[in-house]
Every structure is written in C-alpha cells, then in structure tokens.
Amino acid sequence: MSEPEKDTRPMAEQAYDCLYQKIMLCEYLPGQELKEKFLLEDTGFGRTPLREALLLLQREKMVEIFPRKGMRVTPITEKSANDLYQARKLIEPTVIEEYKSLYSKGKLLQYQQKFHQTMGGPDLDRFLLDIDFHSFLIAITDNSALIEMYEKLMVIQVRLAMYATLKNCISSREDDLGQHCAIIDALLRENVNDIRDSVILHINHSMIRSLNP
C-alpha cells in the first residue's frame, strides 16, 4: 500500500484549513473561547502557524481576538442569523427570476439527481450540496462583487445548519428534497411566480430551523 501524499503547503496554510474546518463543522462551537494551549494540543501545529492562521480567520470574521484578553469563535447571534436570511431573501429571488432563462436545464436536472442521492447520506453532504446549488444560482450573474459577498453569506449558512443539527433541530430530509425540487421544477418551467414562492419558502424554512432555540 502506498503512503499518503505528504502535504507540502506552508504550515500556516495547513493550520488555517484545520481551524477553518473545525469552526465550520462546529467542532469549535460558536462563541467558544479558544486558548492557545488548547489549540496547540488539539491541532498539533506550532505557535507561529497557528497565530498566522488565526489572524486570517479574524479578517474573515470567523474568530474574534481581544488583545491581552483572549479569543473566541465568532458567535452566531439572532441578529446575525436574521441579517443572513434577510440578505438571502433580497438577493436570491431577484437574481433567479432575472436570469431564469439562462440556467442550463441539464445542470438543473443534475442537481435534482444529486439531491436525491444525498437523502441517505451525512448531514454535512446535504448542507454542502445545498450551498453549491444556491451558489450556482448566483454565479449566473458573473458579478464578482455579488458572488464574493454571497460566498461569505454561505459560510455563515453552513455554520448555522451544522449548529442547528447539533441542537437536534434537524429538518425533515423529505422537506428539504421537496423544496429543492420545487425550485428546480419552477426554473425548468421558467415560471416567475413559482420561482419566487419556492425560493422564499425554502429560505424561510431554513430560517425557522436555524432560529429554533
């Protein structure tokens, strides 16, 4: 058996990927205090790469650093969650309606098949496919500023979904599948009213699940 290929990237980049994944998957919970000693032991990286990685995560608003006081994973507040969903409801229906005739019908059918395939898989696979699908719907604009902004929103969305799962606020997989299929069906028919209704229903469903205490 061949040995796994050694990661030759800079240690700071490896440390960043490690911390990023732990935050995204809620291994480090929203609002959790992060002590340097704990991070050194938990990740196996040295102080310098960890500090460089944490500064990058701070710029991306995934970590909060308080000089001489400590640091923590950026909390998910009710306001930040509401802001996320308000932004999504302003952006997604408008974009999808405007570009409805430009989406590849074949690509939409491929996503429909993928949603069916992830029904019995891990929650994370479903969440990542959800993000990929919605990002595809926004990428049609070819607007780099909008796409970059939307990608940042989706980082918060994955954290919210994972955190809701940890709190046992697990959505019905059949509901999620039905909502995605309704969006795809409306797009295949290019029906403006159904597109808007199905997108807003899906976002509202996600919002209620995420804000459930």
Side-chain angles (χ1 to χ4, degrees):
M1 180 182 292
S2 60
E3 294 184 3
E5 187 175 339
K6 185 177 180 180
D7 194 337
T8 58
R9 295 175 301 156
M11 295 302 291
E13 187 176 334
Q14 295 182 46
Y16 169 86
D17 284 349
C18 175
L19 294 176
Y20 182 92
Q21 181 173 0
K22 286 178 179 291
I23 292 171
M24 289 290 285
L25 299 181
C26 288
E27 291 181 35
Y28 297 164
L29 294 171
Q32 178 179 331
E33 183 181 7
L34 297 174
K35 293 186 178 294
E36 187 177 79
K37 183 175 184 294
F38 165 76
L39 294 176
L40 290 168
E41 294 174 352
D42 191 53
T43 67
F45 291 101
R47 282 187 173 84
T48 298
L50 273 176
R51 287 173 179 172
E52 291 179 15
L54 287 164
L55 287 174
L56 285 174
L57 290 166
Q58 181 188 33
R59 286 200 286 270
E60 295 176 0
K61 301 187 184 304
M62 296 184 71
V63 166
E64 295 178 340
I65 300 176
F66 308 99
R68 295 180 296 280
K69 291 184 179 180
M71 54 190 168
R72 65 177 180 177
V73 178
T74 300
I76 296 174
T77 64
E78 184 174 344
K79 183 181 186 306
S80 65
N82 277 320
D83 288 349
L84 163 70
Y85 289 111
Q86 183 181 34
R88 287 190 63 185
K89 284 193 282 188
L90 287 170
I91 294 170
E92 291 185 41
T94 302
V95 168
I96 297 170
E97 284 179 37
E98 180 70 22
Y99 291 85
K100 62 184 180 300
S101 62
L102 299 183
Y103 293 107
S104 163
K105 300 294 193 287
K107 188 75 172 176
L108 290 169
L109 289 170
Q110 287 176 16
Y111 273 112
Q112 188 175 61
Q113 183 178 21
K114 288 178 181 178
F115 282 120
H116 281 281
Q117 291 171 345
T118 58
M119 278 287 287
D123 287 317
L124 180 60
D125 288 351
R126 291 193 299 123
F127 299 151
L128 292 178
L129 178 59
D130 177 89
I131 300 307
D132 185 59
F133 174 62
H134 288 276
S135 297
F136 158 74
L137 297 176
I138 299 301
I140 195 77
T141 64
D142 197 30
N143 183 314
S144 57
L146 178 61
I147 292 168
E148 182 179 354
M149 179 179 67
Y150 191 78
E151 287 175 350
K152 291 178 181 177
L153 291 175
M154 290 299 97
V155 170
I156 303 172
Q157 183 66 73
V158 172
R159 291 181 65 209
L160 269 170
M162 290 301 299
Y163 193 44
T165 300
L166 289 176
K167 294 188 298 180
N168 295 319
C169 303
I170 303 175
S171 64
S172 164
R173 295 185 176 217
E174 290 77 13
D175 286 345
D176 279 350
L177 175 64
Q179 291 161 22
H180 284 118
C181 287
I183 294 171
I184 291 170
D185 178 67
L187 276 169
L188 290 171
R189 293 184 289 108
E190 299 182 20
N191 185 297
V192 175
N193 291 332
D194 287 352
I195 289 171
R196 174 165 288 274
D197 289 347
S198 60
V199 171
I200 291 178
L201 173 66
H202 176 59
I203 295 174
N204 282 340
H205 183 270
S206 177
M207 177 175 65
I208 292 167
R209 180 175 70 245
S210 298
L211 294 176
N212 189 29

